[in-house]
Amino acid sequence: MADGGQAESEQDIERKIQEVRQRFKEEYVQDSSDKYDSRDVERLQKDVALVEGYLAWRLFVVEDALKMIDESFQWRREFGLNDLTESSVPKWMFETGAVYLHGYDKEGNKLFWFKVKLHIKDAKTIQEKKKYVAFWLERYAKREPGMPLTVVFDMTESGLSNIDMDFVKYIINCFKVYYPKFLSKMIMYEMPWIMNAAWKIVKTWLGPEAISKLKFVTKSDVQTFIGPECLPPHMGGTDAFKYSYPPLTDDDFQTPMSENGPIASEDETESKDGEMESKEILDSSFSSEPQALRPRKVNFTEDGLRPEEGDRMDTASRTKAARKPLTTFKGSLLNISPAEELCFGSKETEKKCLIILNNVTKNQVAFKVRTTAPEKYRVKPSNTSCEPGAFVDIIVSLHGGFQSSPQDRFLVMAAEMENNAGTSSPELAQFWKDVPKSKVMEHRLRCHVLESSPIPSPMTDSPLASGTSKHQDLQTMLLRVMASTSRLEQRLDRCLWIQKVLTLLVSFLMAFSFCTLYLVYTGGSPSGPGPAPDSAPGPAPPAS
């Protein structure tokens, strides 16, 4: 068995995945099949990413990964994770707002909030609270498979009565065993000093691989990890979000903007049928892209069918400046490229990205693209359909002076259509209203911001820029000198105080010494006058 510390080749990983599947089936399932949910066992045999996640978290040691899968699957059956729904959890738990998902950190990871002050230790409700956390994690795992979470323990106004060590250990186990590789970091905000002893115990539960993910922050440095737009006001942020239930909090995906302006939402479409039709006519008359909202077939092989010359030139001109995707997500209805993220930068050549959809079904598939930041992006086409086997190019471009952010997300939704279904805007709007949610394929894409080297400016070498730079350097130096002077003054004050104390002590010791010497000196001499010690007695007086 390869050492867990060495890099694993693709062949080794594939071999170990097969070994895990085979051994789990032979050594665990056959002996005690009633311990697991059959759907989890089936998923293990089909989902490569699931097995690889367990292996990677256990440094590709097969034996350790098997034990982890065994414990995880038993827990999933105990809590009924595959059948756990919103109605399975008591309503009052959702209403408290003690746990919820909202916002993103600076790396684009979803924030999982724990409001510690709202948690009171209670043995009667601990099992329901555990199920409540499991509900949120399972819900996120299904919607964002493989995407890490940043856990935020908000300890504002909390105390010892809010610390439940059994519950905390359960939360840590969720990320150590049940959802491997889901933990990005664990942020402890404003932890009271009285809880230091408790969290020293927690550190031992985390293990060495997770200690580095534990971040203790205060209001002054929490923005190192989370931007102000995703922080509540009491943390120094600007996020006006207020938790309420119902509905459950989630990513606020909205219809994006097309190149010709906002696309009407489904609720507005029916009341604006005539207006939309006239708008399409105007768009087609002023646009150099006739029928731009129609799907384009793109062929990447030499022997395949070639599109018409005009379509080919049109597609080339639209996708010329867009970044070509290199990875592909293979879905049940559509293959989507890229698989995970769109990359944007500050340069003009980095402000457009290409999403390629490929219909892998034998029927027409309707799709639409939504985003959490519709004011930033222009998407074209964003709501149309795709013929069987066809490819569709979607151009996503940054609008105006906006910059991409890791918190931005895109949602591609797709649903299979009947052969006789229409593709006009009103018909598509009605289709999305009628289609069951269970038949809608969803795939999320995150944004990755490219780092760009600073471009030298002609103003950099100008006297004005040089003077400004020197002024800023001088100001910085003065601030440092002032800070250093302040520290020296504080030290000098402490030294003067110590000097005064020492002077008093020395004076006291000197006074005590003089008193002692005086007493010793006076105690050794006679107390009063008397005859000299060597004087002889005088003669007796004469007798009368």
Side-chain angles (χ1 to χ4, degrees):
M1 186 170 294
D3 184 7
Q6 298 176 353
E8 299 284 330
S9 65
E10 291 186 8
Q11 291 82 2
D12 288 338
I13 293 173
E14 188 175 348
R15 176 180 58 80
K16 289 186 177 182
I17 289 174
Q18 295 301 324
E19 182 182 351
V20 166
R21 287 173 169 171
Q22 186 66 26
R23 287 186 58 183
F24 188 78
K25 184 177 180 180
E26 294 176 353
E27 299 174 17
Y28 290 85
V29 178
Q30 289 184 359
D31 296 339
S32 52
S33 58
D34 58 333
K35 288 199 307 183
Y36 317 118
D37 188 320
S38 59
R39 288 167 288 184
D40 292 329
V41 177
E42 184 179 352
R43 183 180 165 216
L44 187 74
Q45 300 298 325
K46 294 181 178 180
D47 192 341
V48 175
L50 178 67
V51 187
E52 189 173 351
Y54 283 111
L55 277 168
W57 193 245
R58 285 293 173 257
L59 303 176
F60 293 93
V61 178
V62 173
E63 194 67 41
D64 293 345
L66 286 169
K67 293 177 182 177
M68 188 176 178
I69 294 170
D70 173 53
E71 184 178 348
S72 178
F73 280 14
Q74 288 188 59
W75 171 79
R76 291 183 62 84
R77 171 156 184 172
E78 178 188 353
F79 282 87
L81 265 290
N82 291 314
D83 300 311
L84 189 61
T85 62
E86 187 177 339
S87 59
S88 306
V89 181
K91 185 179 179 181
W92 66 267
M93 287 194 164
F94 291 110
E95 292 173 342
T96 61
V99 178
Y100 58 87
L101 290 161
H102 174 70
Y104 300 89
D105 67 7
K106 286 189 173 181
E107 296 177 354
N109 302 312
K110 192 76 173 177
L111 297 176
F112 193 23
W113 294 87
F114 285 84
K115 298 289 185 178
V116 179
K117 72 174 183 179
L118 299 178
H119 177 82
I120 304 297
K121 185 175 181 179
D122 183 4
K124 296 179 180 178
T125 60
I126 185 64
Q127 199 67 10
E128 292 178 333
K129 289 176 182 175
K130 290 181 178 180
K131 183 181 287 188
Y132 180 44
V133 173
F135 166 82
W136 279 108
L137 289 173
E138 183 68 9
R139 184 171 186 263
Y140 178 78
K142 288 178 179 178
R143 298 175 75 89
E144 300 271 9
M147 296 293 293
L149 281 167
T150 292
V151 179
V152 183
F153 282 93
D154 182 4
M155 298 190 177
T156 306
E157 301 177 3
S158 62
L160 284 177
S161 62
N162 305 118
I163 289 292
D164 184 348
M165 302 306 288
D166 181 40
F167 186 60
V168 172
K169 189 172 185 179
Y170 167 77
I171 294 170
I172 291 172
N173 260 351
C174 284
F175 292 101
K176 281 186 65 177
V177 180
Y178 312 141
Y179 294 93
K181 297 189 72 177
F182 261 72
L183 181 63
S184 169
K185 63 183 73 71
M186 188 176 288
I187 296 177
M188 321 302 299
Y189 177 78
E190 295 284 5
M191 189 182 74
W193 65 269
I194 202 168
M195 295 185 184
N196 284 337
W199 283 100
K200 284 181 181 178
I201 299 173
V202 171
K203 282 186 177 182
T204 63
W205 296 338
L206 283 170
E209 74 279 357
I211 287 292
S212 61
K213 298 174 185 272
L214 195 60
K215 312 294 180 184
F216 292 89
V217 299
T218 61
K219 189 175 182 178
S220 62
D221 58 355
V222 66
Q223 293 189 26
T224 306
F225 305 104
I226 306 172
E229 69 278 3
C230 291
L231 284 174
H234 75 272
M235 288 186 175
T238 58
D239 188 3
F241 170 79
K242 299 289 185 183
Y243 178 87
S244 61
Y245 176 81
L248 291 174
T249 56
D250 201 356
D251 288 338
D252 186 17
F253 282 102
Q254 302 175 30
T255 303
M257 309 290 277
S258 72
E259 292 180 5
N260 298 313
I263 297 177
S265 66
E266 292 85 352
D267 296 332
E268 300 169 341
T269 304
E270 290 183 347
S271 62
K272 299 184 179 180
D273 288 347
E275 185 179 331
M276 289 183 65
E277 290 176 0
S278 62
K279 186 179 186 313
E280 289 176 0
I281 295 172
L282 287 172
D283 289 347
S284 62
S285 62
F286 286 99
S287 175
S288 60
E289 303 167 12
Q291 298 180 349
L293 292 178
R294 302 288 296 178
R296 303 290 185 189
K297 292 186 179 180
V298 181
N299 193 0
F300 296 99
T301 60
E302 291 290 332
D303 301 327
L305 296 174
R306 295 181 178 273
E308 296 180 1
E309 188 69 22
D311 288 347
R312 184 171 66 246
M313 292 177 63
D314 181 61
T315 302
S317 64
R318 289 199 303 123
T319 61
K320 182 178 180 180
R323 299 178 64 83
K324 304 298 187 295
L326 301 177
T327 57
T328 301
F329 165 78
K330 295 183 179 180
S332 56
L333 303 179
L334 298 174
N335 287 348
I336 302 173
S337 301
E340 295 183 355
E341 59 186 24
L342 298 175
C343 299
F344 292 95
S346 57
K347 299 178 182 178
E348 287 301 320
T349 56
E350 298 171 345
K351 291 193 173 183
K352 282 189 177 182
C353 285
L354 180 65
I355 301 176
I356 300 176
L357 306 182
N358 174 214
N359 184 352
V360 295
T361 71
K362 296 181 180 180
N363 296 317
Q364 195 171 23
V365 171
F367 68 87
K368 58 182 176 180
V369 183
R370 310 186 80 181
T371 180
T372 56
E375 73 283 355
K376 290 185 181 181
Y377 300 96
R378 298 293 182 266
V379 181
K380 193 169 184 179
S382 64
N383 187 4
T384 182
S385 62
C386 183
E387 300 293 332
F391 290 84
V392 176
D393 291 349
I394 299 175
I395 304 296
V396 181
S397 55
L398 277 167
H399 176 60
F402 285 105
Q403 296 294 326
S404 182
S405 169
Q407 288 90 12
D408 299 341
R409 292 288 192 278
F410 286 86
L411 174 66
V412 180
M413 303 173 67
E416 204 166 6
M417 305 177 71
E418 300 292 336
N419 293 330
N420 57 352
T423 58
S424 65
S425 296
E427 290 171 330
L428 282 173
Q430 188 60 42
F431 168 78
W432 284 111
K433 285 186 176 182
D434 296 338
V435 65
K437 190 173 182 180
S438 59
K439 293 187 177 181
V440 177
M441 169 191 150
E442 294 185 353
H443 182 66
R444 286 163 170 73
L445 298 169
R446 63 179 183 271
C447 286
H448 175 70
V449 181
L450 298 171
E451 295 183 1
S452 56
S453 57
I455 302 174
S457 170
M459 292 294 291
T460 304
D461 299 327
S462 68
L464 179 61
S466 177
T468 303
S469 176
K470 289 179 180 178
H471 176 71
Q472 291 175 347
D473 291 343
L474 181 60
Q475 187 176 10
T476 303
M477 188 179 297
L478 286 172
L479 289 173
R480 289 177 179 174
V481 171
M482 290 173 65
S484 178
T485 303
S486 177
R487 289 194 296 269
L488 288 173
E489 287 178 353
Q490 292 175 0
R491 291 179 182 177
L492 182 60
D493 289 340
R494 285 197 296 268
C495 289
L496 290 172
W497 182 83
I498 293 172
Q499 184 181 22
K500 290 179 181 178
V501 173
L502 290 174
T503 302
L504 289 172
L505 287 173
V506 170
S507 301
F508 175 77
L509 288 173
M510 290 179 66
F512 180 77
S513 299
F514 284 129
C515 290
T516 303
L517 290 173
Y518 175 76
L519 291 173
V520 170
Y521 174 77
T522 56
S525 60
S527 59
D534 55 349
S535 59
S544 54

